[in-house]
Amino acid sequence: MNKSVIKIVVAAGAVLLVLLIIALIVNLVRLSAANDRKDALASQNARLERLIDQNSSMIEYCQSSEFITEYARAILDMIYRGETVIGGN
């Protein structure tokens, strides 16, 4: 084989190796960014789950007769039939 052909094959192999290493590095960087994004989304998901639980509790309370009675008395100034208000606002 000719020396120039061997040099071309070695140079092409070296270029291919460098390209493969660059592709590997780029993919590792993308994977790291994707993992960071995944962690951020998992954290946000946990925060939203807690918020949903809190809101579910509040919705449940707002549907209770205790809340409705309290709201009717405090906000709407309503009273039960036959009830007498002493010392109003």
Side-chain angles (χ1 to χ4, degrees):
M1 230 194 240
N2 193 346
K3 285 187 178 183
S4 62
V5 172
I6 293 174
K7 286 182 182 179
I8 292 173
V9 170
V10 170
V15 168
L16 180 62
L17 183 62
V18 169
L19 290 175
L20 288 173
I21 291 172
I22 290 172
L24 178 65
I25 291 170
V26 167
N27 284 331
L28 288 175
V29 169
R30 285 182 183 170
L31 181 61
S32 175
N35 283 335
D36 290 345
R37 179 76 176 138
K38 178 184 172 190
D39 292 342
L41 289 173
S43 174
Q44 182 181 15
N45 185 44
R47 184 181 62 80
L48 291 174
E49 289 289 338
R50 285 191 305 273
L51 188 60
I52 287 170
D53 288 342
Q54 291 171 355
N55 287 338
S56 294
S57 298
M58 185 62 174
I59 289 170
E60 196 173 302
Y61 170 68
C62 288
Q63 292 174 342
S64 71
S65 60
E66 176 187 349
F67 172 79
I68 293 169
T69 301
E70 191 177 304
Y71 184 85
R73 289 178 177 272
I75 305 300
L76 303 175
D77 292 327
M78 295 178 80
I79 59 172
Y80 286 112
R81 280 192 192 132
E83 193 174 38
T84 305
V85 177
I86 299 176
N89 295 343

